[in-house]
Amino acid sequence: MAIEIAIETPLQDDVRGLVQELNETLLELTPPEHCYHLTVEQMAGQDTTVFIARDDGIAIGCGALKRHGDAIGEVKRMYTRPSHRGRKIGARIVERVEALARQEGLTRLVLETGDRHPAAWAVYERAGFSRCGPVLDYPDSEWSVFYEKSL
């Protein structure tokens, strides 16, 4: 069966488990004070749209678009389970986030990721994002790498 990506609520038990796995993975690589997690409750807010990738009904990846002022969207909570990496799932989620941002008239996408996430950098760079300085209200930190893309 093909992997399906759809907008879903993060307030489902299996999605909560996926986000918990994401949080644990990030905390293995980055000190907690430099991790900027959205909780699933925050992800369920009106300003955020969550995409879930499923393989035969099992949640195996996620990503979100969080809207900010000045027509800026932020790519958040990108994750693919290790069992499904290398299958371009992250790239497909980023495409969906970007398509929604464009549809809504946003003019810029930004994101913060960790300094130890080269696989994530590759996904963003292949999608046309460029490294930049700190975005939104993130601190300038050795633990963060920032990206932006004009829409």
Side-chain angles (χ1 to χ4, degrees):
M1 178 177 244
I3 291 174
E4 310 253 341
I5 298 172
I7 294 172
E8 296 187 24
T9 175
L11 301 176
Q12 303 173 75
D13 289 344
D14 62 343
V15 176
R16 286 179 186 275
L18 185 69
V19 171
Q20 180 61 36
E21 198 175 300
L22 164 60
N23 292 344
E24 289 168 3
T25 299
L26 294 175
L27 287 168
E28 289 173 7
L29 299 168
T30 307
E33 64 273 19
H34 295 285
C35 287
Y36 307 105
H37 304 165
L38 288 180
T39 65
V40 288
E41 288 76 19
Q42 290 168 320
M43 291 167 68
Q46 294 287 356
D47 61 353
T48 305
T49 300
V50 177
F51 293 89
I52 302 298
R54 292 184 179 274
D55 185 1
D56 201 20
I58 297 168
I60 50 88
C62 59
L65 171 64
K66 180 174 173 58
R67 295 154 194 86
H68 295 271
D70 299 323
I72 296 172
E74 181 182 10
V75 180
K76 292 289 290 180
R77 308 306 353 234
M78 290 291 301
Y79 181 68
T80 302
R81 285 200 160 128
S83 59
H84 286 73
R85 291 187 186 149
R87 295 170 63 181
K88 307 279 187 231
I89 295 164
R92 289 178 53 203
I93 293 171
V94 169
E95 286 172 10
R96 295 287 302 272
V97 167
E98 181 177 335
L100 180 59
R102 286 181 187 278
Q103 178 185 327
E104 292 183 1
L106 300 180
T107 58
R108 185 172 171 232
L109 281 176
V110 299
L111 64 94
E112 180 273 343
T113 189
D115 71 321
R116 298 178 184 183
H117 301 273
W121 306 340
V123 169
Y124 301 131
E125 289 168 11
R126 278 192 224 109
F129 284 77
S130 301
R131 285 199 183 195
C132 62
V135 297
L136 303 170
D137 58 354
Y138 291 103
D140 192 359
S141 157
E142 65 182 299
W143 298 98
S144 292
V145 176
F146 302 96
Y147 283 93
E148 66 181 347
K149 181 176 183 177
S150 292
L151 305 178

